[in-house]
Amino acid sequence: MWLQVSLFSLSGLLLSIQTQAQDQASLHRSNDPSGHCHYTFTVASPQESSCPGSDREMDGVLSRLTLLEALVSRLLAGVDKGTMTGVGANREEGLQELQQDKERLNRQIQELQRRLAELSQEAESLRQKPCQQTLTSVGTQHENRPANGMYQSGVLLRICISLPDPTYDFGNSGYQEMKAEVTEISASHVFHEGSCGELVSVGDPVSHRKSDSITGKYGVWMQDPEPQGPQYTNNTVWGIDAVRRDVRHLFAYEDMDQFSRGFPMKVLVLPEPVESTGATVYRGSLYYQRRRSRTLIRYDLASEYLASRMDLPHAGFHGQHPYSWGGYTDIDLAVDEQGLWAIYSTSKARGAIVISQLNPESLEVKKTWETNIKKNTVANAFMVCGRLYTVASYTVPNTTINFAFDTATGVGQAVSVPFKNKYSYNSMVDYNHAQRKLYAWDNFHMVTYDIRLGRASHGRS
């Protein structure tokens, strides 16, 4: 079988190549009709006497010739017209490039082998050490807080990781699992679930309900972190719609599921109207500010009567020192691990936030701290472990908790903990230390945020 293929260089050089499986071949050179030099390379088929004309075989031959043509074109690149002297030079350059690539690959292989040797040494060093134990807390949820003020702990996981067998061939393409031993150990003497610390992070908001009326634009909702009787538990949800001239209705829901459905089990009518969104529930009582006054009220939920009332000395009210969003948020009551607090300002403090710890029975002020945080420059505030934290904006979707004031040291500082206003009008933020969550009312939506506390810098517990 004879097959002739012509290849032309850019100068018009035509190279015809005929292929055969044997080593015998002949090369002829002659001018074509146009005067260009014509090279013909000829070999004979060892088996076929004539070309069968198979399309499949021809396709295969053409494929191989296409590859050959590409190779020849590459070799002829840069060759002077009418000569073949540049072919050898270009081929030498190609060989040099291949040699350089080979040397580069060898260097990379040597580097990988060196790194593998280092890793093997590290693995052997770790293998000869005793098993490293990592203690990881796994908290348990409790219905009520014990009398000692601390939660019983859950368990700790002791994790021991075993490295691969020393005889394992790291160059093998297979793999070998690392094994971990997990052991439950008692942790009652190691940590307390209710222990305090500094605020490290706030999670994304989780929506539980959307108000279906204009009166639910903003309000307050909460759960009692330390319920006192069987009638209402820490599952009971409390809510107040604050957009009214005379706010007196306190809605009680059996649990979070009924709250999300909007089905209250009871509606309590308060003896005095409520001012804004600063109310809170603690130890079986509702604490709130009486409308258009600096008077604080403790309303007993079980007996449904006004248990005590007390003016908060010198506190601004009804728009004198509100948060930046307004809403007559002059006095904000809060609860944390340390007890009941009032967040407000006075004329003497010139609008800066004042914090007072209150007696939960009589509402008398136990101790007061003045900060340098202007109350009308922050959107909201809450207490965690005796520390005040402020929220920078009530409308910006991705804002921050921007200031912290520690009542244990009397020192304040700027912080930057990311906080999300998902619905762009956050009118209430309160902390529940039993749930370790923030509760918020964001533009008709009632949401919660998980929080994470770090170790206290001054050792408070």
PDB file of all heavy atoms in Angstrom, residues 320-355:
ATOM      1  N   GLN A 320     -36.396  61.936  76.946  1.00  0.00           N
ATOM      2  CA  GLN A 320     -35.271  62.770  77.369  1.00  0.00           C
ATOM      3  C   GLN A 320     -33.928  62.139  77.004  1.00  0.00           C
ATOM      4  O   GLN A 320     -33.023  62.833  76.535  1.00  0.00           O
ATOM      5  CB  GLN A 320     -35.339  63.016  78.883  1.00  0.00           C
ATOM      6  CG  GLN A 320     -36.504  63.909  79.296  1.00  0.00           C
ATOM      7  CD  GLN A 320     -36.566  64.111  80.802  1.00  0.00           C
ATOM      8  OE1 GLN A 320     -36.159  63.233  81.574  1.00  0.00           O
ATOM      9  NE2 GLN A 320     -37.074  65.259  81.236  1.00  0.00           N
ATOM     10  N   HIS A 321     -33.792  60.846  77.223  1.00  0.00           N
ATOM     11  CA  HIS A 321     -32.533  60.140  76.919  1.00  0.00           C
ATOM     12  C   HIS A 321     -32.822  58.760  76.322  1.00  0.00           C
ATOM     13  O   HIS A 321     -32.490  57.727  76.935  1.00  0.00           O
ATOM     14  CB  HIS A 321     -31.669  60.001  78.179  1.00  0.00           C
ATOM     15  CG  HIS A 321     -31.327  61.294  78.827  1.00  0.00           C
ATOM     16  ND1 HIS A 321     -30.524  62.248  78.215  1.00  0.00           N
ATOM     17  CD2 HIS A 321     -31.695  61.812  80.033  1.00  0.00           C
ATOM     18  CE1 HIS A 321     -30.400  63.291  79.019  1.00  0.00           C
ATOM     19  NE2 HIS A 321     -31.095  63.061  80.134  1.00  0.00           N
ATOM     20  N   PRO A 322     -33.405  58.697  75.135  1.00  0.00           N
ATOM     21  CA  PRO A 322     -33.727  57.398  74.536  1.00  0.00           C
ATOM     22  C   PRO A 322     -32.528  56.836  73.767  1.00  0.00           C
ATOM     23  O   PRO A 322     -31.493  57.496  73.601  1.00  0.00           O
ATOM     24  CB  PRO A 322     -34.857  57.740  73.568  1.00  0.00           C
ATOM     25  CG  PRO A 322     -34.506  59.126  73.105  1.00  0.00           C
ATOM     26  CD  PRO A 322     -33.892  59.816  74.301  1.00  0.00           C
ATOM     27  N   TYR A 323     -32.695  55.600  73.273  1.00  0.00           N
ATOM     28  CA  TYR A 323     -31.743  55.052  72.318  1.00  0.00           C
ATOM     29  C   TYR A 323     -31.909  55.793  70.993  1.00  0.00           C
ATOM     30  O   TYR A 323     -32.852  56.580  70.807  1.00  0.00           O
ATOM     31  CB  TYR A 323     -31.997  53.562  72.103  1.00  0.00           C
ATOM     32  CG  TYR A 323     -31.639  52.685  73.293  1.00  0.00           C
ATOM     33  CD1 TYR A 323     -32.566  51.783  73.830  1.00  0.00           C
ATOM     34  CD2 TYR A 323     -30.371  52.728  73.852  1.00  0.00           C
ATOM     35  CE1 TYR A 323     -32.244  50.973  74.899  1.00  0.00           C
ATOM     36  CE2 TYR A 323     -30.032  51.922  74.932  1.00  0.00           C
ATOM     37  CZ  TYR A 323     -30.977  51.048  75.448  1.00  0.00           C
ATOM     38  OH  TYR A 323     -30.641  50.249  76.510  1.00  0.00           O
ATOM     39  N   SER A 324     -31.009  55.515  70.049  1.00  0.00           N
ATOM     40  CA  SER A 324     -30.999  56.272  68.789  1.00  0.00           C
ATOM     41  C   SER A 324     -32.265  56.088  67.971  1.00  0.00           C
ATOM     42  O   SER A 324     -32.620  56.960  67.174  1.00  0.00           O
ATOM     43  CB  SER A 324     -29.785  55.854  67.949  1.00  0.00           C
ATOM     44  OG  SER A 324     -29.823  54.465  67.646  1.00  0.00           O
ATOM     45  N   TRP A 325     -32.990  54.993  68.160  1.00  0.00           N
ATOM     46  CA  TRP A 325     -34.210  54.793  67.364  1.00  0.00           C
ATOM     47  C   TRP A 325     -35.413  55.498  67.969  1.00  0.00           C
ATOM     48  O   TRP A 325     -36.489  55.561  67.348  1.00  0.00           O
ATOM     49  CB  TRP A 325     -34.492  53.301  67.170  1.00  0.00           C
ATOM     50  CG  TRP A 325     -35.014  52.551  68.362  1.00  0.00           C
ATOM     51  CD1 TRP A 325     -34.286  51.937  69.328  1.00  0.00           C
ATOM     52  CD2 TRP A 325     -36.382  52.322  68.704  1.00  0.00           C
ATOM     53  NE1 TRP A 325     -35.094  51.348  70.247  1.00  0.00           N
ATOM     54  CE2 TRP A 325     -36.404  51.570  69.882  1.00  0.00           C
ATOM     55  CE3 TRP A 325     -37.605  52.687  68.129  1.00  0.00           C
ATOM     56  CZ2 TRP A 325     -37.571  51.152  70.508  1.00  0.00           C
ATOM     57  CZ3 TRP A 325     -38.777  52.268  68.741  1.00  0.00           C
ATOM     58  CH2 TRP A 325     -38.762  51.520  69.912  1.00  0.00           C
ATOM     59  N   GLY A 326     -35.282  56.055  69.156  1.00  0.00           N
ATOM     60  CA  GLY A 326     -36.392  56.796  69.773  1.00  0.00           C
ATOM     61  C   GLY A 326     -37.296  55.877  70.566  1.00  0.00           C
ATOM     62  O   GLY A 326     -36.843  55.054  71.367  1.00  0.00           O
ATOM     63  N   GLY A 327     -38.602  56.014  70.342  1.00  0.00           N
ATOM     64  CA  GLY A 327     -39.571  55.124  70.978  1.00  0.00           C
ATOM     65  C   GLY A 327     -39.682  55.248  72.481  1.00  0.00           C
ATOM     66  O   GLY A 327     -40.139  54.322  73.154  1.00  0.00           O
ATOM     67  N   TYR A 328     -39.274  56.390  73.047  1.00  0.00           N
ATOM     68  CA  TYR A 328     -39.334  56.605  74.499  1.00  0.00           C
ATOM     69  C   TYR A 328     -38.584  55.513  75.273  1.00  0.00           C
ATOM     70  O   TYR A 328     -39.015  55.067  76.340  1.00  0.00           O
ATOM     71  CB  TYR A 328     -40.780  56.702  74.985  1.00  0.00           C
ATOM     72  CG  TYR A 328     -41.576  57.778  74.286  1.00  0.00           C
ATOM     73  CD1 TYR A 328     -42.759  57.486  73.613  1.00  0.00           C
ATOM     74  CD2 TYR A 328     -41.125  59.101  74.281  1.00  0.00           C
ATOM     75  CE1 TYR A 328     -43.476  58.469  72.951  1.00  0.00           C
ATOM     76  CE2 TYR A 328     -41.842  60.100  73.629  1.00  0.00           C
ATOM     77  CZ  TYR A 328     -43.009  59.773  72.963  1.00  0.00           C
ATOM     78  OH  TYR A 328     -43.713  60.750  72.310  1.00  0.00           O
ATOM     79  N   THR A 329     -37.446  55.109  74.727  1.00  0.00           N
ATOM     80  CA  THR A 329     -36.658  54.030  75.330  1.00  0.00           C
ATOM     81  C   THR A 329     -35.666  54.595  76.345  1.00  0.00           C
ATOM     82  O   THR A 329     -34.484  54.262  76.330  1.00  0.00           O
ATOM     83  CB  THR A 329     -35.906  53.254  74.239  1.00  0.00           C
ATOM     84  OG1 THR A 329     -35.189  54.197  73.405  1.00  0.00           O
ATOM     85  CG2 THR A 329     -36.864  52.469  73.371  1.00  0.00           C
ATOM     86  N   ASP A 330     -36.150  55.443  77.242  1.00  0.00           N
ATOM     87  CA  ASP A 330     -35.268  56.106  78.209  1.00  0.00           C
ATOM     88  C   ASP A 330     -34.785  55.141  79.289  1.00  0.00           C
ATOM     89  O   ASP A 330     -33.655  55.253  79.750  1.00  0.00           O
ATOM     90  CB  ASP A 330     -36.004  57.272  78.869  1.00  0.00           C
ATOM     91  CG  ASP A 330     -36.442  58.316  77.861  1.00  0.00           C
ATOM     92  OD1 ASP A 330     -37.434  58.085  77.152  1.00  0.00           O
ATOM     93  OD2 ASP A 330     -35.786  59.362  77.772  1.00  0.00           O
ATOM     94  N   ILE A 331     -35.641  54.231  79.733  1.00  0.00           N
ATOM     95  CA  ILE A 331     -35.291  53.285  80.791  1.00  0.00           C
ATOM     96  C   ILE A 331     -35.439  51.872  80.233  1.00  0.00           C
ATOM     97  O   ILE A 331     -36.519  51.481  79.782  1.00  0.00           O
ATOM     98  CB  ILE A 331     -36.171  53.471  82.039  1.00  0.00           C
ATOM     99  CG1 ILE A 331     -35.991  54.889  82.609  1.00  0.00           C
ATOM    100  CG2 ILE A 331     -35.848  52.418  83.089  1.00  0.00           C
ATOM    101  CD1 ILE A 331     -36.929  55.201  83.771  1.00  0.00           C
ATOM    102  N   ASP A 332     -34.334  51.133  80.268  1.00  0.00           N
ATOM    103  CA  ASP A 332     -34.313  49.772  79.739  1.00  0.00           C
ATOM    104  C   ASP A 332     -33.943  48.829  80.880  1.00  0.00           C
ATOM    105  O   ASP A 332     -32.852  48.914  81.438  1.00  0.00           O
ATOM    106  CB  ASP A 332     -33.283  49.676  78.609  1.00  0.00           C
ATOM    107  CG  ASP A 332     -33.380  48.368  77.849  1.00  0.00           C
ATOM    108  OD1 ASP A 332     -34.310  47.588  78.113  1.00  0.00           O
ATOM    109  OD2 ASP A 332     -32.508  48.120  76.988  1.00  0.00           O
ATOM    110  N   LEU A 333     -34.858  47.932  81.235  1.00  0.00           N
ATOM    111  CA  LEU A 333     -34.607  46.966  82.304  1.00  0.00           C
ATOM    112  C   LEU A 333     -34.025  45.692  81.707  1.00  0.00           C
ATOM    113  O   LEU A 333     -34.443  45.243  80.636  1.00  0.00           O
ATOM    114  CB  LEU A 333     -35.889  46.669  83.072  1.00  0.00           C
ATOM    115  CG  LEU A 333     -36.515  47.894  83.760  1.00  0.00           C
ATOM    116  CD1 LEU A 333     -37.856  47.542  84.383  1.00  0.00           C
ATOM    117  CD2 LEU A 333     -35.575  48.457  84.816  1.00  0.00           C
ATOM    118  N   ALA A 334     -33.052  45.111  82.402  1.00  0.00           N
ATOM    119  CA  ALA A 334     -32.351  43.938  81.873  1.00  0.00           C
ATOM    120  C   ALA A 334     -32.036  42.967  83.001  1.00  0.00           C
ATOM    121  O   ALA A 334     -31.953  43.342  84.174  1.00  0.00           O
ATOM    122  CB  ALA A 334     -31.054  44.367  81.174  1.00  0.00           C
ATOM    123  N   VAL A 335     -31.851  41.690  82.612  1.00  0.00           N
ATOM    124  CA  VAL A 335     -31.539  40.622  83.566  1.00  0.00           C
ATOM    125  C   VAL A 335     -30.361  39.825  83.024  1.00  0.00           C
ATOM    126  O   VAL A 335     -30.262  39.587  81.822  1.00  0.00           O
ATOM    127  CB  VAL A 335     -32.760  39.696  83.771  1.00  0.00           C
ATOM    128  CG1 VAL A 335     -32.375  38.465  84.577  1.00  0.00           C
ATOM    129  CG2 VAL A 335     -33.890  40.451  84.451  1.00  0.00           C
ATOM    130  N   ASP A 336     -29.461  39.428  83.919  1.00  0.00           N
ATOM    131  CA  ASP A 336     -28.385  38.516  83.534  1.00  0.00           C
ATOM    132  C   ASP A 336     -28.041  37.620  84.714  1.00  0.00           C
ATOM    133  O   ASP A 336     -28.823  37.522  85.684  1.00  0.00           O
ATOM    134  CB  ASP A 336     -27.161  39.287  83.025  1.00  0.00           C
ATOM    135  CG  ASP A 336     -26.422  40.029  84.129  1.00  0.00           C
ATOM    136  OD1 ASP A 336     -26.912  40.055  85.290  1.00  0.00           O
ATOM    137  OD2 ASP A 336     -25.346  40.589  83.854  1.00  0.00           O
ATOM    138  N   GLU A 337     -26.884  36.974  84.666  1.00  0.00           N
ATOM    139  CA  GLU A 337     -26.466  36.066  85.733  1.00  0.00           C
ATOM    140  C   GLU A 337     -26.315  36.765  87.075  1.00  0.00           C
ATOM    141  O   GLU A 337     -26.392  36.120  88.136  1.00  0.00           O
ATOM    142  CB  GLU A 337     -25.124  35.412  85.352  1.00  0.00           C
ATOM    143  CG  GLU A 337     -25.185  34.481  84.154  1.00  0.00           C
ATOM    144  CD  GLU A 337     -25.048  35.188  82.817  1.00  0.00           C
ATOM    145  OE1 GLU A 337     -25.067  36.452  82.792  1.00  0.00           O
ATOM    146  OE2 GLU A 337     -24.934  34.491  81.803  1.00  0.00           O
ATOM    147  N   GLN A 338     -26.115  38.083  87.063  1.00  0.00           N
ATOM    148  CA  GLN A 338     -25.876  38.840  88.294  1.00  0.00           C
ATOM    149  C   GLN A 338     -27.145  39.425  88.904  1.00  0.00           C
ATOM    150  O   GLN A 338     -27.108  39.920  90.025  1.00  0.00           O
ATOM    151  CB  GLN A 338     -24.874  39.974  88.016  1.00  0.00           C
ATOM    152  CG  GLN A 338     -23.588  39.531  87.342  1.00  0.00           C
ATOM    153  CD  GLN A 338     -22.795  38.544  88.177  1.00  0.00           C
ATOM    154  OE1 GLN A 338     -22.782  38.647  89.397  1.00  0.00           O
ATOM    155  NE2 GLN A 338     -22.147  37.600  87.521  1.00  0.00           N
ATOM    156  N   GLY A 339     -28.262  39.410  88.142  1.00  0.00           N
ATOM    157  CA  GLY A 339     -29.508  39.919  88.691  1.00  0.00           C
ATOM    158  C   GLY A 339     -30.216  40.909  87.787  1.00  0.00           C
ATOM    159  O   GLY A 339     -30.144  40.827  86.562  1.00  0.00           O
ATOM    160  N   LEU A 340     -30.913  41.872  88.405  1.00  0.00           N
ATOM    161  CA  LEU A 340     -31.768  42.842  87.714  1.00  0.00           C
ATOM    162  C   LEU A 340     -31.035  44.172  87.576  1.00  0.00           C
ATOM    163  O   LEU A 340     -30.426  44.669  88.533  1.00  0.00           O
ATOM    164  CB  LEU A 340     -33.061  43.035  88.501  1.00  0.00           C
ATOM    165  CG  LEU A 340     -34.081  44.036  87.948  1.00  0.00           C
ATOM    166  CD1 LEU A 340     -34.632  43.558  86.600  1.00  0.00           C
ATOM    167  CD2 LEU A 340     -35.217  44.241  88.959  1.00  0.00           C
ATOM    168  N   TRP A 341     -31.122  44.773  86.372  1.00  0.00           N
ATOM    169  CA  TRP A 341     -30.412  46.012  86.072  1.00  0.00           C
ATOM    170  C   TRP A 341     -31.342  47.026  85.414  1.00  0.00           C
ATOM    171  O   TRP A 341     -32.319  46.656  84.762  1.00  0.00           O
ATOM    172  CB  TRP A 341     -29.257  45.751  85.108  1.00  0.00           C
ATOM    173  CG  TRP A 341     -28.280  44.702  85.532  1.00  0.00           C
ATOM    174  CD1 TRP A 341     -28.396  43.351  85.363  1.00  0.00           C
ATOM    175  CD2 TRP A 341     -27.037  44.927  86.209  1.00  0.00           C
ATOM    176  NE1 TRP A 341     -27.294  42.713  85.878  1.00  0.00           N
ATOM    177  CE2 TRP A 341     -26.438  43.659  86.400  1.00  0.00           C
ATOM    178  CE3 TRP A 341     -26.358  46.068  86.648  1.00  0.00           C
ATOM    179  CZ2 TRP A 341     -25.211  43.499  87.028  1.00  0.00           C
ATOM    180  CZ3 TRP A 341     -25.131  45.914  87.266  1.00  0.00           C
ATOM    181  CH2 TRP A 341     -24.567  44.640  87.457  1.00  0.00           C
ATOM    182  N   ALA A 342     -30.985  48.296  85.576  1.00  0.00           N
ATOM    183  CA  ALA A 342     -31.639  49.383  84.848  1.00  0.00           C
ATOM    184  C   ALA A 342     -30.578  50.120  84.033  1.00  0.00           C
ATOM    185  O   ALA A 342     -29.510  50.470  84.549  1.00  0.00           O
ATOM    186  CB  ALA A 342     -32.329  50.352  85.804  1.00  0.00           C
ATOM    187  N   ILE A 343     -30.872  50.324  82.750  1.00  0.00           N
ATOM    188  CA  ILE A 343     -29.969  51.041  81.836  1.00  0.00           C
ATOM    189  C   ILE A 343     -30.680  52.334  81.445  1.00  0.00           C
ATOM    190  O   ILE A 343     -31.759  52.299  80.838  1.00  0.00           O
ATOM    191  CB  ILE A 343     -29.666  50.180  80.585  1.00  0.00           C
ATOM    192  CG1 ILE A 343     -29.075  48.823  80.996  1.00  0.00           C
ATOM    193  CG2 ILE A 343     -28.716  50.909  79.654  1.00  0.00           C
ATOM    194  CD1 ILE A 343     -29.028  47.817  79.854  1.00  0.00           C
ATOM    195  N   TYR A 344     -30.090  53.471  81.759  1.00  0.00           N
ATOM    196  CA  TYR A 344     -30.789  54.745  81.568  1.00  0.00           C
ATOM    197  C   TYR A 344     -29.767  55.867  81.516  1.00  0.00           C
ATOM    198  O   TYR A 344     -28.562  55.633  81.368  1.00  0.00           O
ATOM    199  CB  TYR A 344     -31.803  54.970  82.704  1.00  0.00           C
ATOM    200  CG  TYR A 344     -31.191  55.024  84.088  1.00  0.00           C
ATOM    201  CD1 TYR A 344     -31.044  56.230  84.761  1.00  0.00           C
ATOM    202  CD2 TYR A 344     -30.780  53.858  84.733  1.00  0.00           C
ATOM    203  CE1 TYR A 344     -30.490  56.290  86.036  1.00  0.00           C
ATOM    204  CE2 TYR A 344     -30.226  53.900  86.002  1.00  0.00           C
ATOM    205  CZ  TYR A 344     -30.083  55.114  86.652  1.00  0.00           C
ATOM    206  OH  TYR A 344     -29.538  55.166  87.919  1.00  0.00           O
ATOM    207  N   SER A 345     -30.218  57.137  81.664  1.00  0.00           N
ATOM    208  CA  SER A 345     -29.313  58.268  81.779  1.00  0.00           C
ATOM    209  C   SER A 345     -29.955  59.343  82.647  1.00  0.00           C
ATOM    210  O   SER A 345     -31.150  59.281  82.958  1.00  0.00           O
ATOM    211  CB  SER A 345     -28.953  58.847  80.405  1.00  0.00           C
ATOM    212  OG  SER A 345     -27.922  59.821  80.532  1.00  0.00           O
ATOM    213  N   THR A 346     -29.144  60.314  83.015  1.00  0.00           N
ATOM    214  CA  THR A 346     -29.612  61.392  83.880  1.00  0.00           C
ATOM    215  C   THR A 346     -29.087  62.724  83.356  1.00  0.00           C
ATOM    216  O   THR A 346     -28.199  62.772  82.499  1.00  0.00           O
ATOM    217  CB  THR A 346     -29.099  61.188  85.317  1.00  0.00           C
ATOM    218  OG1 THR A 346     -27.669  61.288  85.320  1.00  0.00           O
ATOM    219  CG2 THR A 346     -29.512  59.831  85.865  1.00  0.00           C
ATOM    220  N   SER A 347     -29.645  63.803  83.891  1.00  0.00           N
ATOM    221  CA  SER A 347     -29.144  65.131  83.514  1.00  0.00           C
ATOM    222  C   SER A 347     -27.705  65.307  83.976  1.00  0.00           C
ATOM    223  O   SER A 347     -26.875  65.914  83.284  1.00  0.00           O
ATOM    224  CB  SER A 347     -30.024  66.216  84.141  1.00  0.00           C
ATOM    225  OG  SER A 347     -31.337  66.116  83.658  1.00  0.00           O
ATOM    226  N   LYS A 348     -27.380  64.782  85.146  1.00  0.00           N
ATOM    227  CA  LYS A 348     -26.014  64.868  85.655  1.00  0.00           C
ATOM    228  C   LYS A 348     -25.022  64.144  84.738  1.00  0.00           C
ATOM    229  O   LYS A 348     -23.907  64.607  84.514  1.00  0.00           O
ATOM    230  CB  LYS A 348     -25.953  64.275  87.061  1.00  0.00           C
ATOM    231  CG  LYS A 348     -24.567  64.314  87.675  1.00  0.00           C
ATOM    232  CD  LYS A 348     -24.556  63.646  89.056  1.00  0.00           C
ATOM    233  CE  LYS A 348     -23.140  63.622  89.636  1.00  0.00           C
ATOM    234  NZ  LYS A 348     -23.113  62.929  90.949  1.00  0.00           N
ATOM    235  N   ALA A 349     -25.436  63.004  84.195  1.00  0.00           N
ATOM    236  CA  ALA A 349     -24.559  62.222  83.301  1.00  0.00           C
ATOM    237  C   ALA A 349     -24.522  62.806  81.892  1.00  0.00           C
ATOM    238  O   ALA A 349     -23.766  62.323  81.056  1.00  0.00           O
ATOM    239  CB  ALA A 349     -25.021  60.775  83.249  1.00  0.00           C
ATOM    240  N   ARG A 350     -25.349  63.820  81.626  1.00  0.00           N
ATOM    241  CA  ARG A 350     -25.386  64.495  80.327  1.00  0.00           C
ATOM    242  C   ARG A 350     -25.626  63.527  79.162  1.00  0.00           C
ATOM    243  O   ARG A 350     -24.982  63.600  78.124  1.00  0.00           O
ATOM    244  CB  ARG A 350     -24.094  65.278  80.098  1.00  0.00           C
ATOM    245  CG  ARG A 350     -23.880  66.385  81.115  1.00  0.00           C
ATOM    246  CD  ARG A 350     -22.621  67.177  80.809  1.00  0.00           C
ATOM    247  NE  ARG A 350     -22.441  68.261  81.776  1.00  0.00           N
ATOM    248  CZ  ARG A 350     -21.445  69.135  81.748  1.00  0.00           C
ATOM    249  NH1 ARG A 350     -20.531  69.049  80.784  1.00  0.00           N
ATOM    250  NH2 ARG A 350     -21.357  70.078  82.654  1.00  0.00           N
ATOM    251  N   GLY A 351     -26.545  62.617  79.394  1.00  0.00           N
ATOM    252  CA  GLY A 351     -26.941  61.708  78.322  1.00  0.00           C
ATOM    253  C   GLY A 351     -26.109  60.465  78.199  1.00  0.00           C
ATOM    254  O   GLY A 351     -26.405  59.597  77.359  1.00  0.00           O
ATOM    255  N   ALA A 352     -25.051  60.318  78.996  1.00  0.00           N
ATOM    256  CA  ALA A 352     -24.250  59.092  78.966  1.00  0.00           C
ATOM    257  C   ALA A 352     -25.001  57.975  79.706  1.00  0.00           C
ATOM    258  O   ALA A 352     -25.804  58.238  80.619  1.00  0.00           O
ATOM    259  CB  ALA A 352     -22.894  59.324  79.602  1.00  0.00           C
ATOM    260  N   ILE A 353     -24.745  56.754  79.320  1.00  0.00           N
ATOM    261  CA  ILE A 353     -25.457  55.624  79.921  1.00  0.00           C
ATOM    262  C   ILE A 353     -25.060  55.461  81.383  1.00  0.00           C
ATOM    263  O   ILE A 353     -23.875  55.497  81.749  1.00  0.00           O
ATOM    264  CB  ILE A 353     -25.170  54.320  79.153  1.00  0.00           C
ATOM    265  CG1 ILE A 353     -25.838  54.368  77.775  1.00  0.00           C
ATOM    266  CG2 ILE A 353     -25.655  53.103  79.931  1.00  0.00           C
ATOM    267  CD1 ILE A 353     -25.606  53.134  76.927  1.00  0.00           C
ATOM    268  N   VAL A 354     -26.078  55.286  82.223  1.00  0.00           N
ATOM    269  CA  VAL A 354     -25.910  54.981  83.639  1.00  0.00           C
ATOM    270  C   VAL A 354     -26.474  53.580  83.872  1.00  0.00           C
ATOM    271  O   VAL A 354     -27.530  53.220  83.340  1.00  0.00           O
ATOM    272  CB  VAL A 354     -26.644  56.008  84.527  1.00  0.00           C
ATOM    273  CG1 VAL A 354     -26.544  55.623  85.999  1.00  0.00           C
ATOM    274  CG2 VAL A 354     -26.087  57.406  84.299  1.00  0.00           C
ATOM    275  N   ILE A 355     -25.753  52.779  84.657  1.00  0.00           N
ATOM    276  CA  ILE A 355     -26.192  51.419  84.972  1.00  0.00           C
ATOM    277  C   ILE A 355     -26.425  51.325  86.469  1.00  0.00           C
ATOM    278  O   ILE A 355     -25.557  51.709  87.265  1.00  0.00           O
ATOM    279  CB  ILE A 355     -25.123  50.374  84.572  1.00  0.00           C
ATOM    280  CG1 ILE A 355     -24.660  50.592  83.136  1.00  0.00           C
ATOM    281  CG2 ILE A 355     -25.654  48.966  84.756  1.00  0.00           C
ATOM    282  CD1 ILE A 355     -23.396  49.825  82.800  1.00  0.00           C
TER     283      ILE A 355
END
